[in-house]
């Protein structure tokens, strides 16, 4: 559905994107993760036909994005990071406007707009001006406007940033329905749990390059990191657990063990704590998930 072949983009002397290639097969949910400044938004802009790459090419549904822009846009819906709606218009009129840009007018446009507003849970507010909507409601209208022409590929740039948990959960439901319905989704996010939960494939981008790619299980296999077992205890302890390397913070009554397969060692650790007269108050296991892999690869948190 989407094929990106070795695209680059340079601004002045800064190479924002440096040879990125991606392939999204029909129905794939692909998550693009990277710290700010890594090149993901520039990549999204090039895929969305906002700015051409300096080198390389992009195809959607087998059509070159920059040789046949009007044709290719019928296959793609874009949900930008910034809200792209007219505040003075109602949600319904906003959808009619965006539909008209794709040649959808009259009864067909009204039917599609009504269907989409029902789908995103805003049918009862469809005639209210968008300026009266909350941020989460605007995000849902933004998603609906990108679907007026029923495209096969949806490009979404951080659609859940800055909204309330209730609206975020509703958008998760919509994403799941789109995915189950066969839409191909390219998705950037600042939330690791979103990528872990929703994406079939994840690409980690840094310094304008894809530095790792695969399913969550493939990334975990390729970058096998230690789990952390965090033990808080009562009373006094020297923090020594026989047979285990530990980090001990006496002031916080905390012992940390970094080890592979934490759950498999847990029973033995509890027994040895008992033998060492360590009175356990709480045990917390932090598995080496996507966030740990991301930090290992980039050396910084996603929100940098």
């Amino acid at each position: 559905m989407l094929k990106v072949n070795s695209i680059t983009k340079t601004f002045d002397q800064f190479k924002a994107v440096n040879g990125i290639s991606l392939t999204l097969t029909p129905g794939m949910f692909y998550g693009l993760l990277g710290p700010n400044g890594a090149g993901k938004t520039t990549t999204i802009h090039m895929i969305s036909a906002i700015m051409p790459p300096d080198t390389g090419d992009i195809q959607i549904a087998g059509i070159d994005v920059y040789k046949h822009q009007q044709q290719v846009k019928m296959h793609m819906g874009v949900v930008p990071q910034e809200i792209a709606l007219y505040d003075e218009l109602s949600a319904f009129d906003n959808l009619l406007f965006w539909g008209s840009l794709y040649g959808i007018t009259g009864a067909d446009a009204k039917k599609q707009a009504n269907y989409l507003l029902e789908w995103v849970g805003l049918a009862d507010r469809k005639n209210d001006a968008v300026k009266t909507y909350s941020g989460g409601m605007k995000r849902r209208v933004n998603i609906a406007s990108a679907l007026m022409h029923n495209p096969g590929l949806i490009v979404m740039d951080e659609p859940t940033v800055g909204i309330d948990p209730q609206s975020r959960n509703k958008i998760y439901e919509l994403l799941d329905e789109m995915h189950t319905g066969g839409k191909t989704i390219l998705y950037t996010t600042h939330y690791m749990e979103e990528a872990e939960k929703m994406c079939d494939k994840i690409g980690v981008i840094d310094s304008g390059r894809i530095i790792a790619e695969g399913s969550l299980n493939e990334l975990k296999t390729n970058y096998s990191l230690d789990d952390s077992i965090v033990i808080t205890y009562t009373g006094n302890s020297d923090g020594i657990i026989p047979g285990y390397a530990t980090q001990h913070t006496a002031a916080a009554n905390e012992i940390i063990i970094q080890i592979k397969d934490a759950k498999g060692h847990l029973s033995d650790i509890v027994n040895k704590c008992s033998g060492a007269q360590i009175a356990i108050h709480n045990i917390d296991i932090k598995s080496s998930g996507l966030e740990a892999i991301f930090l290992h690869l980039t050396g910084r948190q996603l929100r940098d």
Side-chain angles (χ1 to χ4, degrees):
M1 187 65 189
L2 171 65
K3 188 170 182 61
V4 178
N5 180 38
S6 299
I7 57 172
T8 66
K9 192 69 181 180
T10 301
F11 300 101
D12 295 326
Q13 301 301 313
F14 175 66
K15 203 152 202 173
V17 174
N18 189 10
I20 283 180
S21 295
L22 299 172
T23 299
L24 275 65
T25 55
M28 178 182 286
F29 198 130
Y30 188 105
L32 189 63
L33 306 183
N36 290 336
K40 62 183 185 297
T41 296
T42 302
T43 300
I44 291 293
H45 283 173
M46 288 189 283
I47 291 170
S48 304
I50 293 172
M51 64 173 73
D54 296 334
T55 60
D57 61 85
I58 304 166
Q59 294 183 6
I60 294 174
I63 305 166
D64 188 286
V65 169
Y66 288 93
K67 289 180 180 176
H68 307 284
Q69 283 197 37
Q70 290 304 117
Q71 184 181 355
V72 82
K73 284 181 179 179
M74 295 302 298
H75 296 275
M76 172 175 55
V78 179
V79 182
Q81 194 172 136
E82 300 297 326
I83 301 294
L85 300 170
Y86 291 98
D87 272 353
E88 299 299 325
L89 297 181
S90 68
F92 186 72
D93 286 338
N94 263 282
L95 263 58
L96 293 184
F97 169 76
W98 289 110
S100 70
L101 298 182
Y102 295 93
I104 302 168
T105 58
D108 289 340
K110 291 178 181 179
K111 181 179 179 181
Q112 180 72 337
N114 279 320
Y115 166 76
L116 288 170
L117 289 169
E118 179 73 35
W119 181 64
V120 300
L122 291 171
D124 60 332
R125 296 287 306 275
K126 72 174 188 176
N127 293 318
D128 295 345
V130 165
K131 66 182 179 182
T132 67
Y133 285 15
S134 68
M137 293 165 69
K138 289 179 181 180
R139 290 280 181 186
R140 283 183 272 159
V141 179
N142 225 29
I143 292 171
S145 67
L147 296 172
M148 277 295 290
H149 57 300
N150 195 26
L153 171 67
I154 313 298
V155 179
M156 311 184 81
D157 193 6
E158 300 185 26
T160 62
V161 167
I163 62 174
D164 60 275
Q166 189 175 29
S167 290
R168 184 177 293 123
N169 286 333
K170 179 60 178 178
I171 289 175
Y172 292 160
E173 291 177 16
L174 302 178
L175 288 168
D176 185 61
E177 288 182 33
M178 284 192 285
H179 189 203
T180 302
K183 298 291 187 188
T184 306
I185 302 170
L186 175 61
Y187 191 92
T188 74
T189 179
H190 269 150
Y191 301 111
M192 294 292 181
E193 65 272 18
E194 289 186 355
E196 288 186 328
K197 179 182 178 181
M198 298 185 297
C199 296
D200 302 316
K201 195 172 184 179
I202 297 163
V204 179
I205 180 175
D206 199 18
S207 300
R209 294 179 177 274
I210 299 291
I211 58 174
E213 187 180 57
S215 67
L216 180 60
N217 287 337
E218 287 170 342
L219 291 174
K220 285 183 175 181
T221 299
N222 293 337
Y223 302 95
S224 181
L225 305 176
D226 291 345
D227 297 331
S228 294
I229 300 176
V230 182
I231 300 169
T232 54
Y233 60 89
T234 57
N236 297 315
S237 172
D238 58 9
I240 296 173
I241 302 174
Y244 294 93
T246 62
Q247 303 170 43
H248 180 221
T249 306
N253 281 23
E254 187 175 85
I255 301 167
I256 299 175
I257 302 170
Q258 292 189 311
I259 193 169
K260 288 183 172 58
D261 187 23
K263 290 182 180 178
H265 289 83
L266 190 58
S267 177
D268 184 53
I269 289 170
V270 169
N271 289 335
K272 288 187 174 177
C273 282
S274 178
Q277 297 185 327
I278 297 171
I280 296 173
H281 174 68
N282 185 65
I283 295 180
D284 185 21
I285 296 177
K286 298 180 179 180
S287 298
S288 56
L290 184 57
E291 185 168 0
I293 293 168
F294 183 91
L295 293 175
H296 171 74
L297 289 168
T298 67
R300 47 190 164 160
Q301 293 188 14
L302 194 59
R303 300 177 193 275
D304 280 355

